Amino acid sequence: MGGGEAVISDAVEIGGFVLLSGRAAVDPATLAVIEGGFEVQAHSVLADIDTVLAAAGSSRALVVRVECFLADPADFPAWNRIWSAYFTPPRPARTTVVAGFAVAGILIELQVTAAVERRAP
C-alpha cells in the first residue's frame, strides 16, 4: 500500500446505507498487524468500525448486517461473547465463517452494513 491514494475505500454510502470494507486489526500508521491475540484484535476491529461508522453518519445502533471471518474456529466462543457485549438486542444479522487471510497474523476481519442517519436538508 505505500504512498498515494488508498486502493480500498473505508466505506461506501448508497441508498441510505453505508457498506464498510473488511476491517482487520491493523495499525493505520504502520500497517502492522496488532498483536495480543484474538480478543485484542476483535476489540480493536470493533473500535475501528465505530470510528468509520461515525465518520459516515452512522453508528453501531444502526448496523443491520455483520460478516465475520475468523482465522481459527476455536475463537468462535470468544467471538460470541464479544459480539453479545458489543451488539445488544435486536442484534444485526450475522454470518461467521472460518477463512484464511492474505496477511499473516490477522485473526478476525469484519464487514459491516449500517443504515445512515437522515441528514437535515
Side-chain angles (χ1 to χ4, degrees), residues 1-66:
M1 280 197 177
E5 185 178 334
V7 296
I8 298 173
S9 298
D10 283 339
V12 175
E13 185 179 338
I14 187 166
F17 291 91
V18 61
L19 291 81
L20 276 63
S21 293
R23 311 304 294 178
V26 177
D27 181 316
T30 65
L31 300 180
V33 174
I34 295 172
E35 300 294 326
F38 176 80
E39 292 195 26
V40 169
Q41 284 195 14
H43 287 291
S44 174
V45 172
L46 290 165
D48 178 55
I49 286 170
D50 279 343
T51 300
V52 175
L53 287 172
S58 189
S59 70
R60 181 187 316 173
L62 296 172
V63 171
V64 295
R65 180 161 177 77
V66 176

Coordinates of all heavy atoms in Angstrom, one line a residue, residues 1-66:
M1 N 0.8 -1.2 0.0 CA 0.0 0.0 0.0 C 0.8 1.2 0.0 O 0.4 2.3 0.2 CB -0.8 0.0 1.3 CG -2.1 -0.8 1.2 SD -3.1 -0.2 2.5 CE -4.5 -1.3 2.2
G2 N 2.0 1.4 -0.2 CA 2.8 2.6 0.1 C 2.2 3.8 -0.7 O 1.6 3.7 -1.7
G3 N 2.4 5.0 -0.2 CA 2.1 6.3 -0.7 C 0.9 6.4 -1.7 O 0.4 5.4 -2.2
G4 N 0.5 7.6 -2.0 CA -0.5 7.8 -2.9 C -1.9 7.5 -2.4 O -2.2 7.4 -1.2
E5 N -2.9 7.4 -3.3 CA -4.3 7.2 -3.0 C -4.5 5.8 -2.5 O -3.9 4.8 -2.9 CB -5.1 7.4 -4.3 CG -6.6 7.3 -4.0 CD -7.3 7.6 -5.3 OE1 -6.8 8.3 -6.2 OE2 -8.5 7.1 -5.4
A6 N -5.4 5.6 -1.5 CA -5.7 4.3 -0.9 C -6.3 3.5 -2.0 O -7.1 4.0 -2.9 CB -6.6 4.5 0.2
V7 N -6.1 2.2 -2.0 CA -6.6 1.3 -3.0 C -8.0 0.7 -2.6 O -8.7 0.1 -3.5 CB -5.6 0.2 -3.4 CG1 -4.4 0.7 -4.0 CG2 -5.3 -0.7 -2.1
I8 N -8.4 0.9 -1.4 CA -9.6 0.4 -0.9 C -10.3 1.5 -0.1 O -9.7 2.2 0.7 CB -9.4 -0.8 0.1 CG1 -8.8 -2.0 -0.7 CG2 -10.8 -1.3 0.7 CD1 -8.4 -3.1 0.2
S9 N -11.6 1.7 -0.4 CA -12.4 2.7 0.4 C -12.7 2.2 1.7 O -13.0 1.0 1.9 CB -13.7 3.0 -0.4 OG -13.5 3.5 -1.6
D10 N -12.7 3.0 2.8 CA -13.1 2.6 4.1 C -14.6 2.2 4.1 O -15.0 1.2 4.7 CB -12.9 3.7 5.1 CG -11.4 3.8 5.6 OD1 -10.6 2.9 5.4 OD2 -11.1 4.9 6.1
A11 N -15.3 3.0 3.4 CA -16.8 2.7 3.3 C -17.4 3.4 2.1 O -16.8 4.4 1.6 CB -17.4 3.3 4.6
V12 N -18.5 2.9 1.7 CA -19.2 3.5 0.5 C -20.7 3.6 1.0 O -21.3 2.7 1.5 CB -19.1 2.5 -0.7 CG1 -20.0 3.1 -1.8 CG2 -17.7 2.4 -1.1
E13 N -21.2 4.8 0.7 CA -22.6 5.1 1.1 C -23.5 5.0 -0.2 O -23.1 5.5 -1.2 CB -22.8 6.5 1.7 CG -24.2 6.7 2.2 CD -24.3 8.1 2.8 OE1 -23.3 8.7 3.3 OE2 -25.5 8.6 2.9
I14 N -24.6 4.3 -0.1 CA -25.5 4.2 -1.2 C -26.9 3.8 -0.7 O -27.1 3.0 0.2 CB -25.1 3.1 -2.2 CG1 -25.9 3.1 -3.5 CG2 -25.0 1.7 -1.6 CD1 -25.4 2.4 -4.7
G15 N -27.9 4.5 -1.2 CA -29.3 4.1 -0.9 C -29.6 4.1 0.6 O -30.4 3.3 1.1
G16 N -29.1 5.1 1.4 CA -29.4 5.1 2.8 C -28.6 4.2 3.7 O -28.9 4.0 4.9
F17 N -27.6 3.5 3.1 CA -26.8 2.5 3.8 C -25.3 2.9 3.6 O -24.9 3.4 2.6 CB -27.1 1.1 3.4 CG -28.4 0.6 3.8 CD1 -29.5 0.7 3.0 CD2 -28.6 0.0 5.0 CE1 -30.7 0.3 3.3 CE2 -29.9 -0.4 5.4 CZ -30.9 -0.3 4.6
V18 N -24.5 2.5 4.6 CA -23.1 2.6 4.4 C -22.5 1.1 4.5 O -22.9 0.4 5.4 CB -22.4 3.5 5.5 CG1 -22.7 3.1 6.9 CG2 -21.0 3.7 5.2
L19 N -21.7 0.8 3.5 CA -21.1 -0.6 3.5 C -19.6 -0.4 3.8 O -18.9 0.3 3.0 CB -21.3 -1.2 2.1 CG -22.7 -1.6 1.8 CD1 -23.5 -0.4 1.3 CD2 -22.8 -2.6 0.8
L20 N -19.1 -1.0 4.9 CA -17.7 -0.9 5.3 C -16.9 -2.0 4.6 O -17.4 -3.1 4.5 CB -17.6 -1.0 6.8 CG -17.7 0.3 7.6 CD1 -19.2 0.8 7.5 CD2 -17.3 0.1 9.0
S21 N -15.8 -1.6 4.1 CA -14.8 -2.6 3.6 C -14.4 -3.5 4.8 O -14.5 -3.1 5.9 CB -13.6 -2.0 3.0 OG -13.9 -1.2 1.9
G22 N -13.9 -4.7 4.5 CA -13.4 -5.5 5.5 C -12.4 -4.8 6.4 O -11.5 -4.1 6.0
R23 N -12.6 -4.9 7.8 CA -11.8 -4.2 8.7 C -11.0 -5.3 9.5 O -11.6 -6.2 10.0 CB -12.6 -3.4 9.7 CG -13.7 -2.5 9.1 CD -13.1 -1.5 8.1 NE -12.2 -0.5 8.7 CZ -11.6 0.4 8.0 NH1 -11.7 0.5 6.7 NH2 -10.8 1.2 8.7
A24 N -9.7 -5.1 9.7 CA -8.9 -6.0 10.4 C -8.1 -5.2 11.4 O -8.0 -4.0 11.3 CB -8.0 -6.8 9.5
A25 N -7.5 -5.9 12.4 CA -6.7 -5.2 13.4 C -5.3 -4.8 12.9 O -4.4 -5.6 13.1 CB -6.6 -6.1 14.7
V26 N -5.3 -3.7 12.2 CA -4.0 -3.2 11.6 C -3.8 -1.8 12.0 O -4.7 -1.0 12.0 CB -4.1 -3.3 10.1 CG1 -2.9 -2.8 9.4 CG2 -4.3 -4.8 9.6
D27 N -2.6 -1.5 12.5 CA -2.3 -0.1 12.9 C -2.3 0.7 11.6 O -1.5 0.5 10.7 CB -0.9 -0.1 13.5 CG -0.4 1.3 13.9 OD1 -0.6 2.2 13.2 OD2 0.1 1.4 15.0
P28 N -3.1 1.8 11.5 CA -3.3 2.6 10.3 C -2.0 3.3 9.9 O -1.7 3.6 8.8 CB -4.4 3.5 10.6 CG -4.5 3.5 12.1 CD -4.0 2.2 12.6
A29 N -1.1 3.6 10.9 CA 0.1 4.4 10.6 C 1.2 3.5 10.1 O 1.9 3.9 9.2 CB 0.6 5.1 11.9
T30 N 1.3 2.3 10.6 CA 2.4 1.4 10.1 C 1.9 0.2 9.3 O 2.7 -0.5 8.7 CB 3.1 0.8 11.4 OG1 2.2 -0.1 12.1 CG2 3.6 1.9 12.3
L31 N 0.6 -0.1 9.3 CA 0.0 -1.2 8.6 C 0.4 -2.5 9.2 O 0.3 -3.6 8.6 CB 0.3 -1.2 7.1 CG -0.3 0.1 6.4 CD1 0.1 0.0 4.9 CD2 -1.7 0.2 6.6
A32 N 1.0 -2.5 10.4 CA 1.4 -3.7 11.1 C 0.2 -4.3 11.8 O -0.7 -3.6 12.3 CB 2.5 -3.4 12.2
V33 N 0.1 -5.6 11.8 CA -1.0 -6.3 12.5 C -0.8 -6.1 14.0 O 0.3 -6.2 14.5 CB -1.0 -7.8 12.2 CG1 -2.0 -8.6 13.0 CG2 -1.2 -8.1 10.7
I34 N -1.9 -5.8 14.6 CA -1.9 -5.5 16.1 C -1.8 -6.9 16.8 O -2.6 -7.8 16.5 CB -3.2 -4.8 16.5 CG1 -3.2 -3.4 15.9 CG2 -3.3 -4.7 18.0 CD1 -4.4 -2.6 16.1
E35 N -0.8 -7.0 17.7 CA -0.5 -8.2 18.4 C -1.4 -8.2 19.7 O -1.9 -7.3 20.1 CB 1.0 -8.2 18.8 CG 1.9 -8.2 17.6 CD 1.8 -9.4 16.7 OE1 1.5 -10.5 17.2 OE2 1.9 -9.3 15.5
G36 N -1.4 -9.4 20.3 CA -2.1 -9.6 21.6 C -3.2 -10.6 21.6 O -3.8 -10.8 22.6
G37 N -3.4 -11.3 20.5 CA -4.3 -12.4 20.5 C -5.7 -12.0 19.9 O -5.9 -10.8 19.6
F38 N -6.6 -13.0 19.9 CA -7.9 -12.8 19.2 C -8.7 -11.7 19.9 O -9.2 -10.8 19.2 CB -8.7 -14.1 19.3 CG -10.0 -14.0 18.7 CD1 -10.2 -13.9 17.3 CD2 -11.1 -13.8 19.5 CE1 -11.5 -13.7 16.8 CE2 -12.4 -13.6 19.0 CZ -12.6 -13.6 17.6
E39 N -8.8 -11.7 21.2 CA -9.7 -10.7 21.8 C -9.2 -9.3 21.7 O -10.0 -8.4 21.4 CB -9.9 -11.1 23.3 CG -10.7 -12.4 23.4 CD -11.3 -12.6 24.8 OE1 -11.5 -11.7 25.6 OE2 -11.5 -13.8 25.1
V40 N -7.9 -9.1 21.7 CA -7.4 -7.8 21.5 C -7.7 -7.3 20.1 O -8.1 -6.2 19.8 CB -5.8 -7.8 21.7 CG1 -5.2 -6.5 21.2 CG2 -5.5 -8.0 23.2
Q41 N -7.5 -8.2 19.1 CA -7.8 -7.9 17.7 C -9.3 -7.6 17.5 O -9.7 -6.7 16.8 CB -7.3 -9.0 16.8 CG -5.8 -9.0 16.6 CD -5.4 -9.8 15.4 OE1 -6.2 -10.2 14.5 NE2 -4.1 -10.1 15.3
A42 N -10.1 -8.4 18.1 CA -11.6 -8.2 17.9 C -12.0 -6.9 18.5 O -12.8 -6.2 17.8 CB -12.4 -9.4 18.6
H43 N -11.6 -6.5 19.7 CA -11.9 -5.2 20.2 C -11.4 -4.1 19.4 O -12.0 -3.0 19.2 CB -11.5 -5.1 21.7 CG -12.3 -6.0 22.6 ND1 -13.6 -5.7 22.9 CD2 -12.0 -7.1 23.3 CE1 -14.1 -6.6 23.8 NE2 -13.1 -7.5 24.0
S44 N -10.2 -4.2 18.9 CA -9.6 -3.2 18.0 C -10.4 -3.0 16.8 O -10.6 -1.9 16.4 CB -8.1 -3.6 17.7 OG -7.6 -2.7 16.7
V45 N -10.8 -4.1 16.1 CA -11.6 -4.0 14.9 C -12.9 -3.3 15.2 O -13.4 -2.5 14.5 CB -11.8 -5.4 14.3 CG1 -12.8 -5.3 13.1 CG2 -10.5 -6.0 13.8
L46 N -13.6 -3.7 16.3 CA -14.9 -3.1 16.6 C -14.7 -1.6 16.9 O -15.6 -0.8 16.5 CB -15.5 -3.9 17.8 CG -16.0 -5.3 17.4 CD1 -16.2 -6.1 18.6 CD2 -17.2 -5.2 16.5
A47 N -13.7 -1.2 17.6 CA -13.4 0.2 17.9 C -13.2 1.0 16.5 O -13.7 2.1 16.3 CB -12.2 0.4 18.8
D48 N -12.5 0.4 15.6 CA -12.3 0.9 14.3 C -13.6 1.1 13.6 O -13.9 2.1 12.9 CB -11.3 0.1 13.5 CG -11.0 0.6 12.1 OD1 -10.6 1.8 12.0 OD2 -11.2 -0.2 11.2
I49 N -14.4 0.1 13.7 CA -15.7 0.2 13.0 C -16.6 1.3 13.6 O -17.2 2.0 12.8 CB -16.5 -1.2 13.1 CG1 -15.8 -2.2 12.1 CG2 -18.0 -1.1 12.8 CD1 -16.2 -3.6 12.3
D50 N -16.6 1.5 14.9 CA -17.3 2.6 15.5 C -16.8 3.9 14.8 O -17.6 4.8 14.5 CB -17.1 2.7 17.0 CG -18.0 1.7 17.7 OD1 -19.0 1.3 17.2 OD2 -17.7 1.5 18.9
T51 N -15.5 4.1 14.7 CA -14.9 5.3 14.1 C -15.3 5.5 12.6 O -15.8 6.6 12.3 CB -13.4 5.2 14.2 OG1 -13.0 5.1 15.5 CG2 -12.7 6.5 13.6
V52 N -15.3 4.5 11.8 CA -15.7 4.6 10.4 C -17.2 4.9 10.3 O -17.6 5.7 9.5 CB -15.3 3.3 9.6 CG1 -15.8 3.4 8.2 CG2 -13.8 3.1 9.7
L53 N -18.0 4.2 11.1 CA -19.4 4.4 11.1 C -19.7 5.9 11.5 O -20.6 6.5 10.8 CB -20.2 3.5 12.1 CG -20.3 2.0 11.6 CD1 -20.8 1.2 12.8 CD2 -21.1 1.9 10.4
A54 N -19.1 6.4 12.5 CA -19.3 7.8 12.9 C -19.0 8.8 11.8 O -19.7 9.7 11.5 CB -18.6 8.1 14.2
A55 N -17.9 8.5 11.1 CA -17.5 9.4 10.0 C -18.4 9.4 8.9 O -18.6 10.3 8.1 CB -16.1 9.0 9.5
A56 N -19.2 8.2 8.7 CA -20.1 8.1 7.7 C -21.5 8.5 8.1 O -22.5 8.4 7.3 CB -20.2 6.6 7.2
G57 N -21.7 9.0 9.3 CA -23.0 9.5 9.7 C -23.9 8.3 10.2 O -25.1 8.4 10.2
S58 N -23.3 7.3 10.7 CA -24.0 6.1 11.2 C -23.5 5.8 12.6 O -22.7 6.5 13.2 CB -23.8 4.9 10.3 OG -24.7 3.9 10.6
S59 N -23.9 4.7 13.1 CA -23.4 4.2 14.4 C -23.7 2.7 14.6 O -24.4 2.1 13.8 CB -24.2 5.0 15.5 OG -25.6 4.5 15.6
R60 N -23.2 2.2 15.7 CA -23.3 0.8 16.0 C -24.8 0.4 16.1 O -25.2 -0.7 15.7 CB -22.7 0.5 17.3 CG -22.7 -0.9 17.8 CD -22.2 -1.1 19.2 NE -20.9 -0.4 19.4 CZ -20.3 -0.3 20.6 NH1 -20.9 -0.8 21.6 NH2 -19.2 0.4 20.7
A61 N -25.6 1.3 16.6 CA -27.1 1.0 16.8 C -27.8 0.9 15.4 O -28.9 0.3 15.4 CB -27.7 2.2 17.6
L62 N -27.2 1.4 14.3 CA -27.8 1.3 13.0 C -27.2 0.2 12.1 O -27.6 0.0 11.0 CB -27.6 2.6 12.3 CG -28.4 3.8 13.0 CD1 -28.0 5.1 12.3 CD2 -29.9 3.6 13.0
V63 N -26.4 -0.7 12.7 CA -25.8 -1.8 12.0 C -26.9 -2.8 11.7 O -27.6 -3.2 12.7 CB -24.6 -2.4 12.7 CG1 -24.1 -3.7 12.1 CG2 -23.4 -1.4 12.8
V64 N -27.0 -3.3 10.5 CA -28.0 -4.2 10.1 C -27.5 -5.6 9.7 O -28.2 -6.6 9.8 CB -29.0 -3.7 9.0 CG1 -29.7 -2.5 9.5 CG2 -28.2 -3.4 7.7
R65 N -26.2 -5.6 9.4 CA -25.5 -6.9 9.0 C -24.1 -6.8 9.3 O -23.4 -5.9 9.0 CB -25.8 -7.1 7.5 CG -25.1 -8.4 7.0 CD -25.8 -8.9 5.7 NE -25.1 -10.1 5.2 CZ -25.3 -11.3 5.6 NH1 -26.2 -11.5 6.6 NH2 -24.7 -12.3 5.1
V66 N -23.5 -8.0 9.8 CA -22.1 -8.1 10.0 C -21.7 -9.5 9.4 O -22.3 -10.5 9.7 CB -21.8 -8.1 11.5 CG1 -20.3 -8.4 11.8 CG2 -22.2 -6.8 12.2

